[in-house]
Amino acid sequence: TGDLDRQYALASWLQPETNEIMLQSGEERSIEVRIENRDDLSPGGHYGALIFKNVSAVRSDVSNVSVNQIFSSLIVVKKIQGALYGLKLDSVLYQEAWWRFDPTLTPRFHNTGNVHVVPRGEVSVKDPLGRITYRGVINEGSTMVLPESFREYPIELFPLKKAIIPGYYSIELGYRYDGKEVMESWTKSVFFIPPLLTLATLLGAGISFVSFIWWQRRKKVSAAG
């Protein structure tokens, strides 16, 4: 009901062999669940859950606390005939600043199809000379994006070479979903001055300024003499 009652989230096609089981202490039991490929089951992805709840009577009073144990098992079904696959890069969150390089990147993907997809891909950062300085992997946990849904994937960029060259760095993101061979791409250029170079520049400017002041004072003393 509610949020679950969507086009690709109906679970009436799941039929467990029984709605109630009795377990003794320490006992294990398996139950079968039938997936009905009915005519009214639309093509694409369908998602449901089996929810198990302890319905044994538990007495409680003021001095005791009762625990209601519930666990669930996710069921993912894909009806191949008429399945539509689609993955779109909705946005990319990146904190840009010229004085520091942010080693984190967060793409947000949108599933435009009717079945679940698993995003794949990588991110690379190239310096002005074309060398790869950072690299990261998209979706290392192999999690899926459900139809009609959005999902963010925070990526940590690992350094491969020291970023010591000032200028424009190119952030390149390539992505696809499992089963697709062609990669889609996204590129962004960011201006970056390495901190050590910035410090050296400021230090050099400071030394030059002090030297200029000292030279001006010495020039005045020499002229007065």
Side-chain angles (χ1 to χ4, degrees), residues 5-225:
D5 190 16
R6 300 188 304 171
Q7 182 177 359
Y8 304 110
L10 302 178
S12 59
W13 38 268
L14 286 175
Q15 296 294 334
E17 62 176 327
T18 179
N19 291 326
E20 184 173 324
I21 59 176
M22 181 72 68
L23 294 177
Q24 301 297 329
S25 177
E27 182 183 0
E28 296 182 1
R29 180 177 172 183
S30 299
I31 63 171
E32 292 186 356
V33 177
R34 184 175 69 255
I35 298 175
E36 297 182 345
N37 186 16
R38 306 192 307 256
D39 293 336
D40 61 346
L41 185 65
S42 60
H46 297 267
Y47 314 91
L50 293 176
I51 299 177
F52 300 85
K53 178 181 180 181
N54 183 3
V55 295
S56 301
V58 180
R59 297 183 57 185
S60 62
D61 52 32
V62 178
S63 61
N64 295 321
V65 176
S66 61
V67 178
N68 189 11
Q69 297 182 0
I70 297 178
F71 67 93
S72 63
S73 178
L74 177 65
I75 305 295
V76 179
V77 173
K78 184 189 300 181
K79 190 170 183 178
I80 301 300
Q81 183 180 5
L84 300 176
Y85 295 85
L87 183 67
K88 178 182 177 181
L89 181 64
D90 180 68
S91 62
V92 178
L93 177 62
Y94 180 74
Q95 300 294 331
E96 183 178 351
W98 65 266
W99 63 89
R100 69 176 180 86
F101 185 83
D102 188 1
T104 58
L105 188 79
T106 305
R108 185 172 185 257
F109 291 104
H110 177 206
N111 186 341
T112 58
N114 62 7
V115 294
H116 64 274
V117 293
V118 179
R120 301 292 184 189
E122 67 173 18
V123 179
S124 61
V125 180
K126 296 181 179 179
D127 65 10
L129 298 181
R131 303 181 307 165
I132 297 179
T133 56
Y134 289 87
R135 175 169 286 167
V137 178
I138 300 175
N139 193 16
E140 290 184 297
S142 299
T143 56
M144 66 180 67
V145 185
L146 301 182
E148 304 178 347
S149 299
F150 295 82
R151 189 162 191 170
E152 295 182 350
Y153 289 89
I155 302 172
E156 183 178 357
L157 302 175
F158 295 94
L160 300 178
K161 295 181 180 294
K162 289 186 177 181
I164 59 175
I165 302 175
Y168 282 95
Y169 282 68
S170 176
I171 302 177
E172 300 177 2
L173 186 151
Y175 68 95
R176 61 177 180 85
Y177 55 82
D178 267 350
K180 182 180 179 180
E181 297 181 358
V182 180
M183 299 277 287
E184 303 289 340
S185 61
W186 174 90
T187 304
K188 179 180 180 62
S189 295
V190 295
F191 186 76
F192 172 63
I193 299 179
L196 291 179
L197 181 60
T198 302
L199 181 60
T201 302
L202 294 176
L203 183 61
I207 294 176
S208 298
F209 178 75
V210 172
S211 299
F212 176 76
I213 297 298
W214 177 82
W215 179 78
Q216 287 288 341
R217 289 183 177 180
R218 184 174 180 181
K219 183 178 180 182
K220 289 181 180 180
V221 172
S222 298

